[in-house]
Amino acid sequence: MTGRAERIGLLALPGLSFLAVIYALPLFMLLLKSVQIDGQFSFAEYVAFFSDSYNLSVLWRTVRVALLTTGLALIIAYPTAIVMARAKGFWLSVFLVAMVLPMSVGVVVKAFAWTILFRTRGVLNDTLMSLGITDAPIRMLFTETALIIGAANVFLPFMVLPIYAVLRQMDSRLPEAAASLGATPVFRFMNVTLPLSLPGVVAGCAFTFSLAISMYVIPSLIVGERQQTLSMLTARSFLYLRNEALGATISSILLLIAISVVLTSSWAANRLGARQ
Amino acid sequence: MTGTDRLALALSWVVALGCVIFLMLPIVITLAASFTSSAVYTLPPPEWSLRWYQSLERRSGLWEAVTLSLNLAVVSTAISLILGTLAAIAVTRGSFRGREAIATFTVSPLMMPGLVVGVALLQFFREIGLRDAYVSLLLGHIVITLPFVMRTLLASMAAFDFSLVDAARTLGLSYPRAIFQVLVPNLAPAYLTGGLFAFLASMDNYPISIFLTDARNKTLPIKMLQYLEEQPDPSLAAISSGLILLACIVLVIGSRTVGLNRMIRG
């Protein structure tokens, strides 16, 4: 049987070699290109990138938007996941549809819908004005707040579902047992529910952050060219400026951020798993 | 239940219901905007009308973009299902080292910035002299769809009883036939879920496709963003509504056959 078990491993070859050639190799070549100038090893492109204050402001904006988006999504997602994990029947279906339907509708469609909502003479301003909250329409489209709201909306299911999955597996008798032993609600939450849900929170935050740091369609529709992000700068340097060296450097920075998020989150998930 | 408990629960319900409304908002807005009679986006529409759906006929290149996107989504998902089945069997049943690493590697494109993969593919294809836009797009879309398929297949194969395949083998079926007649029907929910999400991801992809298109091969998302720049009238909401309808059909198929709860567990 060992012979067959070894031969079964060969079945992975077509898929693996495909991804090795059409995914890993191109990414590796991109990284290589970013540290080479005329075939010579050099970090000059990175030095040039980091010594330009405009690039730094774009980098900082990208990270800030991704962090705030992740934070906003977490604040909405956590209570929702708790309610979902206890819901049954009709309400469970409502929550599931509200997660899966927006996930199935594309980013282009949703980002476009947010531009309709955020228009100066759009639904949001009309509502705010009829409620008497403001007298004149507020400029919302092309602001960072609008971007964060739109992005959190698009990535929200990816934050709710991992937390929901771990809470659903948690034995609902655990908090009850803690309560019967006299634990206060706050103590129960801090010492039972929260620690058990942390692996889901880590997974959700890592996924949302890595989506938000590299999003392209959402910022180009909601904030446009005026406020660049790293992805938009990459696309622009390739598609319009034809400055491929700059593009390769920025994409490598994005790639390194994504890889470090993946590694850090799997390390954190392992530690949390080991502690329980 | 203490008072604090009740208050916390009530607050959680308020957030959860707000979350449902927040999530459904873009979909409702798009549908409402598509049925307007007005030439600009005013909500609620002054009068309901189908004029923007009728105007879609006059959009140049729309039909070509729709067929190209459907073509890419179907073909790349089919190829991914085949490659994914083989690789998932190898990882689940094989006895070689590094199976965990292979599983992580095959799912990893999900976490990589799409735009960076697109840029890398653009340069790579240029380097090897691949000029055909359709082939480039197809290869790129297999990279998009494969991780969705791998994620669900790996999870469901881990729970599959492979002695069924061995039993079919002792009854005289060849290994490929045993896989196709025993394993695939048993894992139908995983195939459906992985396949549907892969299909939708391919239909929606912009960041990878934008680097691989040429003037004649434009996918639907690329065409939509181009329309948005050139002529942003409510016909775009009509196209979007068509895509929402497609997502609804996919979901009805999924929930009837697999169940929503199983779909999100992947």
Side-chain angles (χ1 to χ4, degrees):
Chain A
M1 284 308 273
T2 37
R4 215 185 91 196
E6 270 160 25
R7 269 186 290 131
I8 275 179
L10 296 176
L11 291 177
L13 274 183
L16 268 188
S17 33
F18 178 84
L19 282 182
V21 177
I22 309 290
Y23 162 70
L25 180 63
L27 286 179
F28 178 72
M29 284 168 63
L30 185 78
L31 278 177
L32 208 61
K33 197 167 237 170
S34 74
V35 288
Q36 266 181 342
I37 291 174
D38 302 326
Q40 294 287 309
F41 181 77
S42 148
F43 278 113
E45 284 294 336
Y46 286 89
V47 174
F49 177 85
F50 284 109
S51 46
D52 183 335
S53 65
Y54 176 73
N55 291 340
L56 287 179
S57 74
V58 172
L59 174 66
W60 166 233
R61 178 185 303 126
T62 310
V63 173
R64 182 178 61 215
V65 166
L67 283 174
L68 289 172
T69 301
T70 310
L72 177 62
L74 182 60
I75 290 169
I76 305 173
Y78 200 86
T80 308
I82 288 184
V83 171
M84 248 180 106
R86 294 172 167 204
K88 289 185 194 73
F90 170 76
W91 280 109
L92 183 59
S93 310
V94 170
F95 288 121
L96 288 176
V97 169
M99 295 300 144
V100 186
L101 182 59
M103 263 167 84
S104 318
V105 172
V107 177
V108 178
V109 172
K110 280 180 287 188
F112 169 64
W114 281 103
T115 65
I116 304 178
L117 270 158
F118 284 133
R119 254 161 236 277
T120 315
R121 297 268 1 164
V123 200
L124 283 182
N125 261 320
D126 289 350
T127 317
L128 289 179
M129 271 153 59
S130 64
L131 290 173
I133 297 174
T134 55
D135 297 328
I138 311 168
R139 199 185 68 135
M140 287 189 258
L141 203 59
F142 308 123
T143 63
E144 201 172 293
T145 315
L147 174 59
I148 292 163
I149 293 173
N153 176 272
V154 173
F155 304 136
L156 198 47
F158 301 106
M159 183 68 96
V160 177
L161 292 176
I163 305 177
Y164 163 72
V166 290
L167 285 178
R168 190 94 182 163
Q169 280 171 0
M170 184 180 88
D171 192 335
S172 64
R173 287 170 306 182
L174 277 175
E176 287 166 26
S180 70
L181 293 169
T184 62
V186 177
F187 183 88
R188 259 183 288 147
F189 178 77
M190 294 304 289
N191 290 285
V192 182
T193 312
L194 186 64
L196 285 173
S197 67
L198 272 185
V201 173
V202 169
C205 286
F207 207 45
T208 309
F209 183 81
S210 56
L211 287 171
I213 197 109
S214 60
M215 62 184 171
Y216 174 69
V217 174
I218 308 169
S220 28
L221 262 62
I222 296 183
V223 292
E225 290 289 311
R226 266 175 271 181
Q227 294 187 30
Q228 297 276 335
T229 63
L230 283 186
S231 311
M232 290 162 82
L233 213 54
T234 310
R236 211 165 65 128
S237 41
F238 273 97
L239 299 173
Y240 306 111
L241 303 179
R242 308 271 163 208
N243 185 350
E244 303 214 338
L246 176 66
T249 310
I250 308 173
S251 356
S252 300
I253 294 170
L254 271 175
L255 189 64
L256 294 174
I257 296 176
I259 292 173
S260 49
V261 170
V262 173
L263 293 180
T264 316
S265 68
S266 65
W267 172 81
N270 278 338
R271 285 213 39 176
L272 288 167
R275 223 175 42 187
Q276 277 165 23
Chain B
M1 256 198 195
T2 63
T4 328
D5 270 357
R6 263 190 227 111
L7 184 69
L9 195 62
L11 276 178
S12 304
W13 268 94
V14 170
V15 175
L17 292 180
C19 177
V20 170
I21 296 170
F22 182 51
L23 282 168
M24 299 306 283
L25 195 61
I27 295 169
V28 175
I29 291 293
T30 307
L31 291 174
S34 74
F35 290 107
T36 185
S37 62
S38 148
V40 288
Y41 293 102
T42 41
L43 285 166
E47 263 179 84
W48 303 97
S49 139
L50 288 174
R51 66 180 275 209
W52 296 112
Y53 287 88
Q54 286 155 354
S55 81
L56 291 183
E57 281 178 276
R58 294 192 302 276
R59 280 282 191 189
S60 67
L62 176 62
W63 185 242
E64 288 80 355
V66 171
T67 46
L68 176 65
S69 275
L70 286 172
N71 177 323
L72 284 172
V74 170
V75 177
S76 66
T77 304
I79 295 175
S80 289
L81 284 172
I82 296 167
L83 294 179
T85 303
L86 298 176
I89 292 174
V91 170
T92 327
R93 294 293 283 168
S95 57
F96 54 96
R97 295 178 56 164
R99 282 173 297 153
E100 274 295 305
I102 290 179
T104 312
F105 173 61
T106 50
V107 183
S108 70
L110 277 180
M111 301 279 280
M112 288 302 132
L115 203 81
V116 176
V117 177
V119 168
L121 286 179
L122 170 77
Q123 295 194 323
F124 178 70
F125 290 154
R126 209 187 290 156
E127 201 93 15
I128 62 170
L130 176 65
R131 286 171 193 282
D132 189 310
Y134 178 78
V135 175
S136 316
L137 279 168
L138 184 61
L139 292 174
H141 278 242
I142 298 172
V143 177
I144 298 162
T145 49
L146 192 53
F148 284 92
V149 171
M150 280 307 285
R151 196 176 53 174
T152 46
L153 286 187
L154 282 172
S156 64
M157 274 192 204
F160 177 72
D161 181 5
F162 270 88
S163 61
L164 288 173
V165 174
D166 296 333
R169 297 256 296 145
T170 42
L171 292 173
L173 257 61
S174 65
Y175 194 72
R177 281 192 74 108
I179 292 295
F180 197 71
Q181 296 190 354
V182 178
L183 177 118
V184 174
N186 265 290
L187 297 186
Y191 276 93
L192 200 75
T193 314
L196 290 179
F197 278 125
F199 174 84
L200 291 170
S202 162
M203 281 298 289
D204 179 48
N205 184 273
Y206 182 86
I208 293 182
S209 307
I210 185 66
F211 292 103
L212 307 176
T213 48
D214 59 14
R216 285 189 301 119
N217 294 280
K218 289 212 157 101
T219 62
L220 186 57
I222 293 176
K223 207 75 196 167
M224 283 176 73
L225 259 70
Q226 186 190 327
Y227 290 148
L228 197 60
E229 265 175 34
E230 293 167 356
Q231 198 188 343
D233 61 35
S235 67
L236 270 163
I239 303 175
S240 296
S241 300
L243 289 171
I244 292 174
L245 181 71
L246 180 74
C248 290
I249 294 171
V250 163
L251 275 196
V252 170
I253 297 173
S255 62
R256 279 291 154 85
T257 46
V258 189
L260 283 176
N261 219 341
R262 236 182 131 156
M263 278 185 87
I264 59 157
R265 266 184 288 148

